């Protein structure tokens, strides 16, 4: 966050930021002190944090917070001098004090909010004093207190830390990605110059052959020879100049590509945060949950410096919270049971993060009793998920998969923590949303381990590029089972649907163009590409026209005003600058199932006859995603579509090409949509051309302004999931 951003915040808001930062220090230090009451380093950190909070609270005149922080600071100082033992009761009271400070920091401004903190502060003082009365025995200190620097805007290496908005980071990464794409345009240009160089050489050889064929050109005194020599000399000069420029261009190409790659890598690194940023509250949560269940549990963090994409880190919070609570509740035994098993009374849950095989791997493991597979087998049978004979044949791995079913629980009773059937299915669904997966392993008496695998970043996706309806689409490789080619002789009919044999079972074939609402493109019937996709409920063979290879795509989020686009998750640019849409495979599978259940799947080779002349529509919009979505939607329903990137581009297009309809946005650079409509309606040759305005401004005055300018239709909509746009086009110019 910049100094300007801080300057726009009130003092109470600034205190809230500091309170959150210092609360993390206090919580971590108190948990360390619970295990090692004499830790000088932990006492020093906690004392400094309490002292800083006391001073900050005094500045904003928050009396209750001053009282709480002061009492905590005194307790830490007493412990530092050996006058106080920080036992479990005192640690509990201190942690409540941390919670109270955060509550006070988040309270509103004014005297009323200040007065509301006095009573809780006094209650905390009494609670702490009561705990201290039982902990006044001296404590043996370890090494001398090591001074810990107060939190600042610097890292351990002295680098400053600035806060930047997520929008700015996303925009920076998008621009870096575009720069990377643009830098690769130089290579085709250099290849064209190489072809020009070869052409010059061929011309030189032809001139020499012409000289040999015409004897008069060889006469050094004749005019023909002089002209030939002059031409040959100029050609050599042109060749020399071309070679020099080509060498300079190749050098520039290498530098530009290197610079753009480094820029992109640095921009991508800005999105990464250490894993610890998303785990600050977990140690306290595990400790408190264990105490509420009568268990002694601690959380061990490993790999907390592992860089993680901030979006993935945010989405990991809910599944990790569930898995940690699951480990404490289901995995860790009660103290008496652990003693009987020869284990330490204190249970341990490990949360570990690391990069592995180009993926982020997060492990949640406990040293509890593990999963009772026979009890799980009985639960599967009792819930009617399998008959007893079948369940008896399940392997351990197959049994453990039942834990991920919706509503499945092994708890016989419902509590505040578990037993409601809201379980591991939520974890699995959340991970699938970020192209991740989860596996479970258990060892009786030794514990249970959940291994989560996720992409390192959501900003880049490795995708299989395919052609559907003549357009490129990206399928994330995480969802692609395999790629195969099928010929017409391998097709089979089963219950009226086309299939091919795969691994000894029928694989249903689905035309991708039908699912995406596009016109069928040309393909080779003797070698049709099929992409195998699916989930736990079944697989499908997605039939495409061509395979365009694997590419690393920089994900560009769609305009949020569009809402959720059916079967599409994001946009991207190919290395040659061609825009494409990234398919939401899970949504696509849902669309496939709807077509199958309705019996509407087309057979391969079944293509509607094209119309004699398709009606032409000009789409004018400065947003790439909106422009492409409108184009694909209209093209998929038979219209021939041209696009323009702004009002001036659209004005030039409609004056040079014939169109049946213009669809335009309002807010555009150089020439907005309203002025574009006015120009069109003022031109005698164009005034009869229908114009539709598609805008996200749905106020009545905006609509009136567009219609007054001469628009024939004004459509305000926030999503392209319905048929409003197509119906409006049909109303104006009829079917394609």
């Amino acid at each position: 966050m910049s100094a300007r951003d801080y300057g726009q915040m009130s003092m109470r808001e600034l205190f809230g930021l500091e309170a959150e930062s210092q609360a993390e220090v206090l919580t971590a230090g108190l948990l360390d002190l619970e295990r090692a009451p004499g830790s000088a380093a932990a006492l020093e950190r906690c004392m400094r944090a309490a002292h800083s909070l006391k001073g900050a609270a005094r500045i904003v005149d928050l009396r209750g917070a001053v009282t709480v922080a002061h009492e905590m600071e005194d307790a830490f100082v007493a412990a530092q001098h050996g006058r106080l033992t920080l036992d479990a009761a005192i640690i509990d009271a201190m942690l409540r004090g941390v919670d109270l400070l955060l509550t006070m920091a988040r309270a509103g401004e004014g005297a009323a909010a200040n007065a509301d903190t006095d009573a809780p502060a006094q209650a905390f003082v009494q609670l702490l004093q009561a705990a201290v009365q039982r902990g006044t025995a001296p404590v043996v200190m370890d090494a001398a207190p090591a001074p810990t620097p107060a939190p600042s805007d610097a890292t351990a290496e002295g680098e400053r830390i600035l806060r930047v908005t997520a929008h700015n980071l996303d925009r920076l990464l998008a621009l870096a990605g575009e720069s990377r794409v643009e830098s690769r345009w130089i290579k085709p240009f250099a290849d064209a110059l190489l072809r020009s160089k070869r052409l010059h050489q061929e011309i030189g050889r032809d001139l020499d052959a012409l000289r040999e064929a015409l004897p008069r050109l060889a006469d050094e005194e004749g005019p023909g020879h002089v002209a030939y020599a002059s031409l040959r000399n100029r050609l050599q000069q042109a060749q020399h100049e071309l070679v020099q420029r080509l060498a300079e261009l190749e050098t520039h190409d290498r530098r530009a590509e290197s610079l753009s790659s480094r820029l992109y890598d640095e921009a991508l690194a800005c999105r990464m945060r250490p894993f610890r940023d998303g785990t600050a509250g977990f140690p306290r949560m595990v400790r408190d949950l264990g105490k509420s269940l009568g268990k002694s549990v601690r959380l061990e963090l490993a790999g907390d410096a592992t860089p993680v994409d901030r979006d993935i880190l945010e989405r990991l919070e809910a599944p990790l919270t569930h898995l940690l609570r699951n480990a404490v509740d289901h995995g860790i035994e009660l103290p008496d049971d652990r003693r009987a098993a020869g284990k330490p009374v204190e249970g341990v849950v490990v949360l570990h993060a690391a990069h592995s095989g180009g993926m982020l791997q997060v492990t949640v493991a406990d040293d509890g009793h593990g999963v009772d597979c026979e009890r799980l087998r009985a639960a599967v049978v009792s819930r009617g998920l399998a008959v007893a004979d079948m369940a008896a044949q399940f392997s351990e791995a197959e049994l453990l998969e039942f834990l991920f079913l919706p509503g499945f629980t092994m708890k016989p009773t419902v509590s505040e923590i578990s037993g409601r059937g809201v379980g591991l299915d939520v974890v699995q669904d959340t991970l699938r949303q970020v192209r991740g997966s989860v596996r479970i392993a258990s060892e009786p008496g030794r514990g249970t381990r959940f291994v989560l695998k996720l992409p390192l970043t959501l900003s880049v996706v490795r995708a299989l590029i395919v052609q559907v309806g003549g357009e490129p689409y990206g399928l994330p490789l995480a969802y692609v089972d395999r790629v195969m080619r099928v010929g017409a002789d391998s097709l089979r009919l089963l219950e009226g649907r086309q299939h091919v044999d795969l691994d000894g079972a029928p694989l249903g074939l689905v035309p991708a163009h039908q699912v995406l609402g596009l016109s069928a493109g040309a393909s080779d019937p003797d070698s049709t590409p099929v992409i195998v996709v699916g989930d736990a409920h079944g697989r499908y063979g997605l039939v495409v026209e061509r395979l365009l290879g694997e590419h690393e795509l920089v994900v560009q989020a769609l305009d949020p005003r569009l809402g959720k686009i059916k079967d599409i998750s994001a946009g991207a640019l190919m290395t040659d600058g061609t825009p494409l849409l990234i398919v939401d495979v899970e949504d696509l599978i849902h669309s496939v199932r709807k077509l199958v259940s309705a019996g509407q799947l087309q057979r391969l080779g079944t293509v509607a006859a094209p119309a004699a002349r398709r009606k032409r529509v000009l789409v004018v919009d400065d947003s790439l995603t909106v422009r492409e979505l409108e184009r694909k939607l209209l093209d998929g329903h038979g219209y021939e579509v041209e696009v323009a990137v702004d009002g001036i581009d659209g004005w030039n297009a409609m004056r040079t090409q014939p169109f049946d309809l213009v669809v335009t946005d309002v807010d555009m650079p150089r020439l907005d949509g309203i002025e574009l409509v006015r120009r069109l309606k003022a031109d005698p040759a164009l005034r009869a051309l229908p114009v539709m305005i598609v805008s996200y401004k749905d106020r009545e005055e905006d609509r009136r302004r567009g219609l007054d300018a001469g628009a024939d239709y004004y459509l305000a909509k926030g999503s392209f999931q319905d048929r409003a746009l197509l119906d409006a086009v049909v109303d104006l110019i009829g079917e394609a």
Side-chain angles (χ1 to χ4, degrees):
M1 185 176 292
S2 65
R4 180 181 178 185
D5 294 327
Y6 285 128
Q8 295 173 347
M9 299 175 68
S10 68
M11 295 302 295
R12 182 63 66 84
E13 289 172 331
L14 290 172
F15 174 71
L17 289 178
E18 182 168 2
E20 290 180 359
S21 175
Q22 300 292 7
E24 291 184 9
V25 176
L26 282 169
T27 299
L30 285 167
L31 294 182
D32 289 342
L33 289 168
E34 187 171 39
R35 292 187 292 272
S39 172
L43 282 171
E44 180 71 11
R45 290 197 304 271
C46 290
M47 186 277 292
R48 285 182 176 273
H51 180 78
S52 298
L53 276 175
K54 182 179 70 173
R58 184 175 288 120
I59 291 174
V60 297
D61 192 27
L62 198 57
R63 295 190 303 269
V66 172
T67 300
V68 173
H70 176 71
E71 292 295 324
M72 294 177 71
E73 181 186 8
D74 282 352
F76 290 130
V77 171
Q80 282 182 314
H81 290 86
R83 300 193 304 271
L84 179 66
T85 300
L86 297 181
D87 60 13
I90 297 176
I91 295 293
D92 279 339
M94 291 282 205
L95 288 171
R96 292 187 186 182
V98 174
D99 295 339
L100 183 56
L101 284 170
L102 284 173
T103 300
M104 292 175 175
R106 294 163 182 162
E109 304 268 359
N114 200 349
D116 288 343
T117 66
D118 292 338
Q122 293 304 318
F124 166 75
V125 171
Q126 294 175 7
L127 176 67
L128 183 59
Q129 287 176 353
V132 167
Q133 292 300 319
R134 299 189 299 273
T136 54
V139 61
V140 178
M141 302 295 292
D142 59 8
T148 301
S152 66
D153 285 342
T155 64
E157 292 77 16
E159 296 179 353
R160 295 182 62 213
I161 295 177
L162 300 177
R163 294 174 183 258
V164 182
T165 65
H167 173 75
N168 286 343
L169 276 181
D170 290 340
R171 185 59 183 152
L172 176 63
L173 187 62
L175 290 173
E178 291 180 18
S179 172
R180 197 178 186 185
V181 169
E182 291 294 332
S183 70
R184 294 173 179 172
W185 279 42
I186 300 177
K187 185 65 167 61
F189 185 68
D191 292 341
L193 289 183
L194 280 174
R195 291 193 296 271
S196 179
K197 177 184 175 183
R198 289 193 293 269
L199 182 61
H200 278 73
Q201 293 172 342
E202 292 172 2
I203 293 175
R205 289 194 294 268
D206 291 343
L207 277 176
D208 292 340
L210 182 64
R211 179 175 178 272
E212 296 297 328
L214 299 176
R216 286 183 298 176
L217 294 180
D219 183 2
E220 296 183 359
E221 301 299 328
H225 178 78
V226 175
Y228 163 79
S230 175
L231 183 59
R232 197 68 173 84
N233 182 56
R234 291 170 61 189
L235 179 61
Q236 290 176 343
Q237 290 178 351
Q239 286 179 318
H240 179 71
E241 183 74 14
L242 182 60
V243 169
Q244 282 191 322
R245 298 291 83 79
L246 183 58
E248 293 172 358
L249 183 63
E250 289 175 344
T251 301
H252 176 73
D253 180 24
R254 289 192 298 270
R255 290 176 178 173
E257 187 167 356
S258 173
L259 179 61
S260 64
S261 296
R262 285 186 286 128
L263 172 63
Y264 175 75
D265 291 341
E266 290 295 330
L268 183 60
C270 289
R271 287 179 55 96
M272 310 301 278
R273 293 163 52 191
F275 185 65
R276 71 172 70 91
D277 284 4
T279 63
F282 288 156
R284 168 81 182 276
M285 179 194 74
V286 168
R287 180 256 188 197
D288 290 351
L289 179 60
K291 288 179 70 69
S292 70
L293 295 172
K295 302 176 181 180
S296 176
V297 191
R298 81 170 187 273
L299 177 66
E300 290 185 356
L301 294 174
D304 57 350
T306 302
V308 183
D309 184 285
R310 60 173 176 80
D311 288 341
I312 287 182
L313 194 58
E314 290 174 359
R315 300 197 192 188
L316 269 177
E317 181 180 2
L320 287 182
T321 297
H322 188 96
L323 290 177
L324 291 173
R325 291 171 66 88
N326 186 81
V328 176
D329 186 26
H330 292 267
I332 301 297
E333 310 96 330
L334 290 168
D336 291 343
D337 296 332
R338 292 183 67 85
R339 288 192 191 95
K343 294 181 178 181
V345 172
E346 184 180 55
V348 178
V349 179
V350 177
L351 177 59
H352 178 263
H355 290 174
S356 175
M359 301 282 285
L360 171 66
Q361 180 171 299
V362 180
T363 303
V364 178
D366 65 71
D367 66 348
H369 53 65
V371 178
D372 186 337
C373 286
E374 293 310 311
R375 184 163 162 254
L376 174 57
R377 200 185 307 272
V380 169
V381 175
S382 65
R383 286 167 172 75
L385 299 174
V387 298
D389 291 343
M390 180 184 295
Q393 304 300 318
F394 288 151
S395 66
E396 180 178 315
E398 290 172 330
L399 275 175
L400 292 175
E401 286 298 315
F402 281 95
L403 294 174
F404 293 105
L405 290 179
F408 190 92
T409 179
M410 294 179 63
K411 278 284 187 178
T413 58
V414 175
S415 68
E416 293 182 358
I417 300 170
S418 60
R420 289 177 169 80
V422 179
L424 297 177
D425 62 305
V426 177
V427 175
Q428 192 174 61
D429 288 344
T430 302
L431 292 175
R432 283 175 176 168
Q433 291 173 14
V434 292
R435 308 192 300 273
S437 63
V438 57
R439 292 185 294 104
I440 179 175
S442 181
E443 189 174 349
R446 301 289 296 274
T448 306
R449 176 183 292 104
F450 289 88
V451 179
L452 287 60
K453 286 196 173 182
L454 309 98
L456 293 179
T457 175
L458 296 181
S459 305
V460 178
V461 59
R462 190 74 182 173
L464 174 65
I465 311 301
V466 300
Q467 180 176 300
V468 182
E471 300 289 344
Y473 283 85
L475 293 168
L477 286 180
Y479 294 98
V480 176
D481 186 348
R482 70 184 74 180
V483 178
M484 54 191 295
R485 289 183 177 273
V486 300
D489 57 347
S490 62
L491 299 181
R492 305 286 185 269
L493 276 180
L494 180 62
E495 296 180 354
R497 290 175 49 203
Q498 287 180 314
H499 291 73
V500 293
D501 292 330
L502 178 64
D503 299 334
L507 176 74
L509 298 181
V510 180
H513 73 270
Q514 182 188 7
V515 184
L516 295 173
L518 303 173
S519 301
S523 62
D524 183 0
D526 296 325
S527 182
T528 302
V530 174
I531 316 300
V532 181
V533 298
D535 55 21
H537 304 289
R539 294 186 300 177
Y540 299 93
L542 199 63
V543 179
V544 300
E545 295 151 18
R546 289 179 60 199
L547 301 176
L548 303 179
E550 295 181 15
H551 291 274
E552 189 177 79
L553 301 176
V554 179
V555 178
Q556 297 189 8
L558 300 176
D559 192 316
R561 296 174 297 180
L562 297 174
K564 175 64 180 77
I565 309 303
K566 178 178 174 292
D567 303 329
I568 300 299
S569 63
L573 291 176
M574 296 180 65
T575 54
D576 62 357
T578 302
L580 61 77
L581 294 174
I582 300 175
V583 175
D584 183 337
V585 179
E586 290 191 344
D587 197 17
L588 184 105
I589 292 173
H590 179 70
S591 299
V592 169
R593 291 201 175 101
K594 289 177 64 177
L595 288 173
V596 171
S597 62
Q600 297 176 345
L601 275 183
Q602 295 178 1
R603 295 185 184 181
L604 300 188
T606 304
V607 181
R613 187 190 79 85
R614 295 197 295 169
K615 294 178 181 176
R616 305 188 74 238
V617 180
L618 174 65
V619 172
V620 187
D621 202 301
D622 63 321
S623 169
L624 172 64
T625 55
V626 175
R627 192 169 62 239
E628 283 299 302
L629 282 165
E630 289 182 356
R631 183 181 69 80
K632 290 179 182 294
L633 181 64
L634 294 171
D635 181 79
H637 285 79
Y639 296 95
E640 183 179 341
V641 185
E642 293 288 335
V643 295
V645 299
D646 57 31
I648 290 294
D649 192 23
W651 175 242
N652 292 332
M654 67 180 65
R655 288 189 301 169
T656 57
Q657 303 177 55
F659 293 101
D660 298 288
L661 174 68
V662 174
V663 179
T664 181
D665 187 20
V666 173
D667 297 322
M668 295 183 294
R670 298 205 294 175
L671 184 69
D672 66 26
I674 300 298
E675 184 58 32
L676 176 64
V677 174
R678 289 197 180 103
R679 288 193 183 186
L680 183 149
K681 295 302 180 180
D683 190 312
L686 298 173
R687 64 177 54 167
L689 178 60
V691 182
M692 174 167 47
I693 292 179
V694 178
S695 174
Y696 294 94
K697 295 182 176 180
D698 57 359
R699 297 178 304 176
E700 183 58 34
E701 52 265 36
D702 297 321
R703 180 184 301 274
R704 188 182 306 112
R705 182 166 167 253
L707 296 177
D708 288 345
D712 299 274
Y713 204 106
Y714 190 102
L715 179 63
K717 67 195 306 302
S719 170
F720 285 96
Q721 283 188 296
D722 55 37
R723 291 188 53 86
L725 178 65
L726 288 171
D727 290 343
V729 171
V730 171
D731 287 345
L732 288 173
I733 61 173
E735 298 287 350

